[in-house]
Amino acid sequence: MGLVELFGVASMPVIKVLLITAVGLLLALDNVNLLGKDARIQVNHLVHYVFNPALVGGNLADTITFENVVLLWFMPVNILLTFIIGSALGWILIKLTRAPKHLEGLIMGVCSAGNLGNLPIIIIPAICKDKGSPFGDSNVCYQYGMAYASLSMAVGAVYIWTYVYNIMRVSASVVPKDAYRTSSFRLEASGEFLEFLPEEESSEPENPSKDNMDDYTLLLSSIESEENVKLPVSAKIKHQIGKLLVNSNFRAIFSPATLGAIVGFIVGVVPQIRKLMIGGDASLHVIQDSVTMVGYVCIPKLVFDLKLHKAVGSLKGANTSFWTILGIIVVRYIFLPILGILVIKGATQLGLVQPDPLYQFVLLLQYALPPAMAIGTIAQLFGAGEGECSVIMLWTYALASVAVTFWTTYFMWLVA
């Protein structure tokens, strides 16, 4: 298949994303406002607790088996490599542009963490369903493509809230004390904010225990005071476990999407459970069918959640240099994909990656995606580089349609 035909196939998913995003932008306009603030929160809760885990778990359970799970071991390794290589390139960019200290973590974050959840779940099925797809039967391609994309979403969320979170936390610690602020937010499964509400400054901080489990009030300061009270060992252990369970970082790592992936793996890998639930002859196949049907509702909502219209409101006060933005774009859309080709080709030659064109395509695509939206969440969490993050997201996602189309075309030609 020629490059022109592959370019047409690669263009379709991007065009679909742009069209659905345009609908989302239209619904968010003040003059339309079909989905008000409360409605958006409730829909996000549905995506958070129902649609996302159903999509991830259902596709993994339907596709993953005990025999082929061993063949997928390289995907978590590959995603980790995208983070390590991206952060290394980000560190080089910081040295070249002499970025401010408090923005170093943000730059490394956007260079390392790609949008491994939303975009693959949209792009890969669209390519599989296209009549010019180079990946064979559309139904088989769709089934396995959704499983690969679901696994990518689950693994990516864990890495973002462990690896990138701590990089940005260390960088944010150099922000002047008076730059910290109190912020209330609601955390979504993928690391997005359901709502972000800056609070007015107060001389006395509120008691966090008064907030419910879904609303966190964080007081970010360089020194945390704790009362030294002699407590029994059991009480201290219980206290620490309680702090861990309500910690936003811990809750994001073990989000419903990640838990859905774990359940999907268990259903798919354990033969006894699989025989009961998977396949038309399974006695409980109605459960799997229902879960999959519920999960499909999530796909259009993921596109609406790109929320670039909200980024414009945070551009005031941003102080991002032209060379920093250009460097991030070059890292994400030129250097990372090229290095990704070398990694996947090398791994294939060594026999570490199965000779499945669709699987290799997904691995390559993980190197050519725009930054993860959760980076903005972490920047707001630490109150460092919020405006700069909005500028970076605006430009990287504006150019994503061109870059992703180009690399998708080339990757399909490379593996086909």
Side-chain angles (χ1 to χ4, degrees), residues 66-345:
F66 183 78
E67 289 75 19
N68 66 17
V69 69
V70 180
L71 301 176
L72 298 178
W73 71 269
F74 188 77
M75 182 175 288
V77 175
N78 185 66
I79 295 175
L80 179 60
L81 289 175
T82 66
F83 278 69
I84 294 175
I85 295 173
S87 57
L89 293 173
W91 181 82
I92 295 173
L93 176 62
I94 290 170
K95 297 303 179 183
L96 292 176
T97 59
R98 297 179 180 179
K101 286 289 185 180
H102 69 282
L103 294 181
E104 291 182 357
L106 172 63
I107 295 172
M108 293 180 68
V110 296
C111 288
S112 60
N115 193 330
L116 297 169
N118 299 7
L119 292 184
I121 282 182
I122 299 164
I123 292 173
I124 295 171
I127 291 176
C128 290
K129 291 295 184 180
D130 195 282
K131 63 180 181 180
S133 172
F135 299 123
D137 181 77
S138 59
N139 292 327
V140 175
C141 174
Y142 183 88
Q143 181 182 16
Y144 281 89
M146 286 298 292
Y148 298 153
S150 298
L151 180 60
S152 176
M153 170 187 284
V155 174
V158 173
Y159 287 153
I160 287 174
W161 286 95
T162 52
Y163 184 86
V164 176
Y165 174 89
N166 285 290
I167 288 177
M168 295 183 66
R169 177 180 60 82
V170 173
S171 175
S173 65
V174 302
V175 180
K177 185 180 296 186
D178 58 0
Y180 287 101
R181 62 179 183 161
T182 303
S183 305
S184 296
F185 66 87
R186 298 189 177 193
L187 190 60
E188 190 181 328
S190 60
E192 305 295 336
F193 280 132
L194 298 179
E195 290 296 330
F196 178 75
L197 304 171
E199 297 180 354
E200 296 182 1
E201 296 182 0
S202 175
S203 58
E204 296 183 3
E206 296 179 0
N207 185 358
S209 62
K210 295 180 181 178
D211 297 331
N212 60 42
M213 294 295 291
D214 292 328
D215 295 299
Y216 305 97
T217 300
L218 299 182
L219 302 179
L220 301 176
S221 60
S222 58
I223 301 176
E224 295 182 356
S225 61
E226 295 184 356
E227 294 182 0
N228 296 321
V229 181
K230 293 183 178 180
L231 296 174
V233 176
S234 59
K236 291 182 178 180
I237 294 175
K238 182 179 180 180
H239 175 66
Q240 292 299 326
I241 293 176
K243 288 174 62 179
L244 181 63
L245 291 177
V246 300
N247 180 268
S248 61
N249 186 24
F250 179 86
R251 290 166 65 87
I253 294 172
F254 292 96
S255 65
T258 304
L259 297 178
I262 294 173
V263 173
F265 261 106
I266 294 173
V267 173
V269 171
V270 179
Q272 293 80 4
I273 303 178
R274 185 175 183 84
K275 289 179 182 179
L276 285 174
M277 299 183 63
I278 307 300
D281 298 331
S283 57
L284 299 178
H285 73 89
V286 65
I287 298 177
Q288 167 65 12
D289 295 343
S290 301
V291 170
T292 303
M293 187 182 301
V294 170
Y296 289 155
V297 180
C298 182
I299 296 177
K301 179 61 175 62
L302 291 177
V303 187
F304 290 158
D305 271 349
L306 291 179
K307 295 175 184 164
L308 289 183
H309 61 283
K310 287 189 176 182
V312 179
S314 302
L315 299 183
K316 295 181 180 180
N319 186 23
T320 311
S321 70
F322 167 79
W323 294 111
T324 299
I325 297 174
L326 179 62
I328 292 170
I329 292 172
V330 170
V331 166
R332 287 232 59 98
Y333 296 141
I334 298 179
F335 287 134
L336 258 179
I338 292 174
L339 293 174
I341 294 172
L342 298 178
V343 170
I344 302 305
K345 283 297 182 181

Side-chain angles (χ1 to χ4, degrees), residues 365-394:
L365 183 64
Q366 291 169 347
Y367 287 90
L369 297 169
M373 301 299 287
I375 300 298
T377 300
I378 301 174
Q380 290 175 323
L381 172 62
F382 293 117
E386 298 173 54
E388 290 80 0
C389 182
S390 296
V391 174
I392 293 169
M393 291 293 182
L394 187 63

Side-chain angles (χ1 to χ4, degrees), residues 71 148 344 347-349 351-361 363 415:
L71 301 176
Y148 298 153
I344 302 305
T348 304
Q349 293 294 326
L352 302 177
V353 176
Q354 57 177 312
D356 176 8
L358 177 61
Y359 182 56
Q360 294 181 8
F361 171 77
L363 296 178
V415 302

